Amino acid sequence: MSSLDELKQALSGTQRNTFFFLGGGSNILLKGDYDGLVIKNNIKGIEIIGETDEHIFLKAYSGENWHELVMYCVSRGWGGLENLSLIPGTAGAAPMQNIGAYGVELEKVFVSLEALNLETFGLEEFNGEQCEFGYRESVFKRRFKGKYFIYSVTLRLDKHPVIHAEYGDIKTVLAEQGIDWQNAGIKDISDAVIRIRQSKLPDPKDIGNSGSFFKNPVITPSHFDTLKSQYPDIKGFEQYNGIKVPAAWLIEQCGWKGKRVGQTGSHARQALVLVNYGDAKGEDIWQLAQDIIKSVKDRFGIDLEPEVNVIG
């Protein structure tokens, strides 16, 4: 569907009680055949709705490809999204799980969104506080799950960007390109992030995957201190009143990185990515995920949570 009218017609014209919205399709796991209505979101458009000396206020409709939106902003010198380059999916999915990468999260540039109430068919506006953002979380993944369709997202972009190069390998990649990170521009940051992601994450066109399968868990400082005394190499980052621990490190320590189980496995370059080597079914991937979750829980006392949307 490419408009709200088409969406309303699709929902009112079906007797099925089960449906889900499909954006880019990059962050889902179907455990089996889906008996319901699948609605593909093709509502697109980008509009400048406000401007000051410091900022551009941009409205993007939810069916816009996220990476193309980032490139649109980078090419115009508007900062804020460059660290989020090459994240798969659509603009509408971005606030649903407060996407983030390389030290930046969507909420830092988020202003508001418009969402269609699926019971009243009324369009409602949500600001950042009302979205209740957390680490890869929002109210739309919890209390309002399945109750709204995100129609558009409004972002605040910087005309005079502040560079964020302190996370991950960004400085290293910039140096390899002969660029001093202190003099880098947003395109340099975007290019570096793209290079890093392409080196670590398998292309779904080549091997089936949904990107990072698990969230990086956030644990209490006391729990982290206990683990640090046992595992001096463990990394931790302050996040939402807790300590974020890299899920990939936990999974690798449990021996899963590069391990193949039937037609499934944890990818050799990135343990956080579960892959389908060709003939695995959704239920096979889900079983692998459950086995990984159990092993991490048994060893570290940490509950891993899926980042992908599991259906079925």
Side-chain angles (χ1 to χ4, degrees), residues 25-76:
S26 56
N27 198 43
I28 63 172
L29 173 68
L30 287 165
K31 290 167 62 178
D33 293 337
Y34 181 75
D35 183 20
L37 178 66
V38 179
I39 302 175
K40 179 69 172 70
N41 181 8
N42 287 316
I43 299 178
K44 297 185 178 183
I46 301 173
E47 302 173 2
I48 297 175
I49 62 172
E51 184 173 355
T52 68
D53 291 341
E54 299 294 326
H55 299 112
I56 293 287
F57 294 87
L58 198 72
K59 175 184 281 191
Y61 291 89
S62 57
E64 282 290 334
N65 176 277
W66 176 258
H67 179 64
E68 291 178 7
L69 173 62
V70 174
M71 294 298 96
Y72 178 92
C73 296
V74 168
S75 68
R76 288 160 175 77

Side-chain angles (χ1 to χ4, degrees), residues 69-263:
L69 173 62
V70 174
M71 294 298 96
Y72 178 92
C73 296
V74 168
S75 68
R76 288 160 175 77
W78 303 336
L81 302 183
E82 56 277 2
N83 290 57
L84 307 181
S85 297
L86 211 64
I87 293 179
T90 59
M96 181 170 290
Q97 65 176 40
N98 187 24
I99 63 170
Y102 299 97
V104 173
E105 293 187 329
L106 179 78
E107 66 174 306
K108 292 184 178 181
V109 297
F110 179 86
V111 176
S112 64
L113 63 79
E114 294 176 300
L116 184 73
N117 186 312
L118 298 179
E119 292 183 3
T120 67
F121 280 2
L123 203 58
E124 301 177 17
E125 185 171 344
F126 291 79
N127 60 28
E129 183 178 356
Q130 292 168 323
C131 287
E132 299 178 12
F133 289 129
Y135 177 65
R136 302 297 172 268
E137 287 286 354
S138 75
V139 71
F140 300 102
K141 289 188 71 175
R142 301 189 303 274
R143 182 156 49 93
F144 291 157
K145 184 176 182 179
K147 296 182 179 181
Y148 286 88
F149 166 78
I150 296 176
Y151 174 57
S152 72
V153 181
T154 297
L155 307 173
R156 182 187 64 254
L157 305 170
D158 295 326
K159 288 184 176 180
H160 309 289
V162 176
I163 297 302
H164 297 281
E166 61 278 4
Y167 195 95
D169 298 327
I170 292 179
K171 290 182 182 179
T172 301
V173 172
L174 289 173
E176 291 172 352
Q177 302 301 306
I179 301 171
D180 182 345
W181 73 269
Q182 294 177 314
N183 298 321
I186 60 173
K187 187 178 187 304
D188 298 320
I189 299 296
S190 175
D191 289 345
V193 168
I194 291 171
R195 183 182 293 267
I196 294 167
R197 291 183 69 91
Q198 288 177 333
S199 69
K200 291 185 175 182
L201 301 174
D203 190 334
K205 295 178 182 177
D206 299 327
I207 184 169
N209 72 89
S210 295
S212 298
F213 195 93
F214 300 103
K215 301 177 186 177
N216 291 317
V218 178
I219 62 177
T220 64
S222 61
H223 190 177
F224 179 76
D225 290 341
T226 298
L227 291 176
K228 186 72 172 177
S229 67
Q230 299 172 339
Y231 306 96
D233 293 338
I234 192 173
K235 302 296 184 183
F237 308 90
E238 292 187 6
Q239 184 94 38
Y240 295 103
N241 299 318
I243 305 296
K244 180 177 69 175
V245 178
W249 186 89
L250 299 171
I251 295 168
E252 183 174 354
Q253 295 304 304
C254 291
W256 289 101
K257 186 176 182 180
K259 184 176 181 178
R260 180 165 176 166
V261 180
Q263 291 296 306

